[in-house]
Amino acid sequence: RAQEINTLEAYQEFLDTYPGSEWRNYGEYHRDKVALEMAREIGTLEAIVTFLRKYPNSQWQSNARYVLNTRFGYQHESEVPN
């Protein structure tokens, strides 16, 4: 069902409801993908940094850091002033 809806909330609900599911990695992958897509659509430095800090183990970290570097000139979110 989460895949059909394809929203951050739907994937997070799946992960919260079925924490031990064999599909957990799949859910995290797609939740993080949707979260990064949202951050990219917002297009601000804050949105990208928020993604990087909220999902530190995401498979999408390198994609987010690419945006951080090419659009904003930072190599890592720790370089961004608070």
Side-chain angles (χ1 to χ4, degrees):
R1 177 138 166 87
Q3 186 178 13
E4 293 172 16
I5 299 171
N6 196 38
T7 64
L8 182 63
E9 294 79 13
Y11 287 115
Q12 189 60 56
E13 182 179 337
F14 167 80
L15 293 167
D16 292 343
T17 303
Y18 306 104
S21 172
E22 65 185 86
W23 296 97
R24 182 163 188 80
N25 288 342
Y26 177 87
E28 288 175 346
Y29 176 88
H30 286 283
R31 176 204 57 198
D32 297 358
K33 180 181 178 190
V34 170
L36 180 56
E37 289 170 355
M38 291 172 62
R40 291 181 75 167
E41 284 178 20
I42 294 168
T44 64
L45 175 60
E46 180 182 7
I48 297 298
V49 170
T50 297
F51 171 85
L52 288 164
R53 291 180 178 160
K54 187 169 185 176
Y55 305 104
N57 299 316
S58 174
Q59 295 178 33
W60 295 95
Q61 284 279 309
S62 62
N63 297 68
R65 286 208 178 91
Y66 176 80
V67 173
L68 186 69
N69 179 258
T70 58
R71 188 176 294 171
F72 302 105
Y74 294 103
Q75 296 293 318
H76 193 271
E77 63 274 14
S78 63
E79 299 173 357
V80 178
N82 288 330

